[in-house]
Amino acid sequence: MTEEFHRIRRLPPYVFAEVNKAKAAARAAGEDIIDLGMGNPDSAPPAHVIKKLAETIQNPRVHGYSVSRGIPGLRRALAAYYEKRFSVSLDPETEVIATIGSKEGLANLAAAITSPGDTILVPNPSYPIHQFGFIIAGASVRSIPATPDEDMLRALHRAVKHSVPKPTALILNFPSNPTAFVASYDFYKEIVAFARRENIWILSDLAYAEIYFGETPPPSVLSVPGAKDITVEFTSMSKTYSMAGWRVGFAAGNPRLIHALTRIKSYLDYGAFTPIQVAAVAALTGPQDYVSDIRALYKERRDVLIQGLHNAGWDVPPPEGSMFAWAPIPPKFADMGSVDFSKLLLKEAKVAVAPGLGFGEYGDGFVRLGLVENTQRLRQAIRSIKGFMSRHGVTPLDPKEADPAKKRS
Ligand SMILES: Cc1ncc(COP(=O)(O)O)c(C=O)c1O
């Protein structure tokens, strides 16, 4: 009776807990900690969406159980978004489902399609549910590089050759949390060709579809011809409209996968609260200036942060998308690993970051900084980091080399 439950034993101790504990203790001691460790959007959703929620909630008929797979208008709105944004046609009846956030959808799809002992290919580092959704479901995970390039493609070929049993699914997430890497359409074309040939499902997490800083918006895997035969893609209201606490997301694509998720969810939940679904329709179908504004806001923060860190002697590649900078631990501290470095930064610079180890063992040389504080607080964080670096003998880098537009090399 005292032995830990099988599934719980498969979940390692929460890496972020150590840093979170130190953060809570510092705050309890009255210290002003600037928290760049979280991925929680700090802006309010669009005003017209909040208004729609407030109006809808007055209706006595909306307080019962909702529809597990999402109200029809919401599924239609998501299909219209895909058509407009990616030129991808989706049948709202069979190829779209609303989820209680994309995280819930990912976890329940993993449960729906996994047989015990299946091998799943997951980038490392990655957002934890990509790996643990499948581990909880009884699969084994084989790590692949997180870079959308030849390295990942080579690793995929090796994985198919050497994994027993042969992998059944592959997770993709671009723009990525935590690495901020963005994939190109050509990369997706190669991945789709590979996965079709090898009969591997693709589960793509496109939560950061609208948070990008380059000229070209991130593509959808589903826009590759034939992708729908093997792909389901998750999107979310959480980042695009800063509705993270509302818990609305989507899965779209292959009808067999959508059916599997719909079926398992019909046993588990009654869908998001109806007024929230109605307000989500208003977000998707109403004016979209909020989306370009939020993108500009994160871009401004990105530029302030990357330039400031550079001036402090910390060379961090400018993210091309997502809400994060993925920062290599400065050489002076590289031996410490990400957990101890995060704790040191918290103690001496009063800035909280997420240790890369929390996203997988190959993340241990990095920390993740969220663009979730305003520029004034970011500048305060930078001053503090600069002082910390100089106390440790790190000098500013050549200012000419700091260019927030420069690409990941
Ligand atoms: C890559 C990625 N996918 C999914 C999520 C969760 O999204 P949702 O709020 O829709 O569950 C996050 C949240 O941080 C994320 O970073």
Side-chain angles (χ1 to χ4, degrees), residues 31 311-313 332-333 341 343-351 380-396:
E31 284 174 13
N311 295 345
K332 170 98 194 178
F333 309 96
F341 178 66
K343 288 204 283 197
L344 185 70
L345 208 56
L346 183 75
K347 183 161 167 253
E348 297 193 6
K350 313 295 173 211
V351 174
Q380 189 185 334
I382 288 158
R383 279 195 298 278
S384 192
I385 290 173
K386 197 168 180 183
F388 160 81
M389 298 284 258
S390 99
R391 285 194 298 280
H392 284 272
V394 181
T395 49

Side-chain angles (χ1 to χ4, degrees), residues 93-157:
E93 274 306 302
T94 57
E95 296 177 337
V96 177
I97 180 173
T99 61
I100 305 174
S102 55
K103 189 177 185 185
E104 177 269 315
L106 275 155
N108 279 324
L109 184 60
I113 67 172
T114 301
S115 305
D118 275 359
T119 302
I120 311 295
L121 304 172
V122 183
N124 187 329
S126 73
Y127 181 56
I129 196 67
H130 296 160
Q131 168 170 196
F132 289 106
F134 282 98
I135 286 181
I136 292 167
S140 301
V141 163
R142 181 173 169 127
S143 292
I144 54 167
T147 44
D149 59 16
E150 281 302 315
D151 280 355
M152 186 190 279
L153 288 163
R154 266 195 300 273
L156 290 177
H157 285 101

Side-chain angles (χ1 to χ4, degrees), residues 122-199:
V122 183
N124 187 329
S126 73
Y127 181 56
I129 196 67
H130 296 160
Q131 168 170 196
F132 289 106
F134 282 98
I135 286 181
I136 292 167
S140 301
V141 163
R142 181 173 169 127
S143 292
I144 54 167
T147 44
D149 59 16
E150 281 302 315
D151 280 355
M152 186 190 279
L153 288 163
R154 266 195 300 273
L156 290 177
H157 285 101
R158 272 201 310 276
V160 166
K161 212 163 147 198
H162 300 297
S163 306
V164 180
K166 203 179 135 184
T168 49
L170 159 68
I171 307 287
L172 298 176
N173 167 221
F174 302 109
S176 159
N177 175 12
T179 65
F181 297 159
V182 177
S184 68
Y185 176 79
D186 286 345
F187 174 75
Y188 282 150
K189 253 171 56 184
E190 292 204 50
I191 291 276
V192 167
F194 162 82
R196 281 172 62 97
R197 207 167 47 240
E198 302 295 344
N199 289 319

Side-chain angles (χ1 to χ4, degrees), residues 242-317:
S242 307
M243 290 165 64
W246 295 45
R247 312 311 301 130
V248 189
F250 303 94
N254 180 269
R256 198 170 151 222
L257 290 178
I258 296 297
H259 181 255
L261 180 56
T262 308
R263 195 150 152 76
I264 210 154
K265 275 173 63 61
S266 74
Y267 281 83
L268 293 174
D269 68 64
Y270 289 108
F273 184 38
T274 301
I276 285 180
Q277 296 195 47
V278 171
V281 175
L284 283 168
T285 58
Q288 297 298 305
D289 35 333
Y290 180 91
V291 182
S292 39
D293 290 351
I294 204 83
R295 193 182 296 135
L297 180 91
Y298 288 127
K299 185 167 190 284
E300 186 192 3
R301 291 176 180 181
R302 173 196 82 151
D303 293 349
V304 166
L305 181 69
I306 299 300
Q307 180 76 58
L309 291 176
H310 191 95
N311 295 345
W314 192 352
D315 193 15
V316 178

Side-chain angles (χ1 to χ4, degrees), residues 40-77:
N40 216 351
D42 60 319
S43 304
H48 73 95
V49 176
I50 294 177
K51 189 158 166 255
K52 183 56 117 186
L53 175 69
E55 273 165 25
T56 313
I57 212 167
Q58 303 300 325
N59 181 343
R61 286 179 307 148
V62 297
H63 295 270
Y65 297 120
S66 194
V67 187
S68 168
R69 67 191 183 116
I71 58 174
L74 185 55
R75 285 181 276 118
R76 280 199 301 271

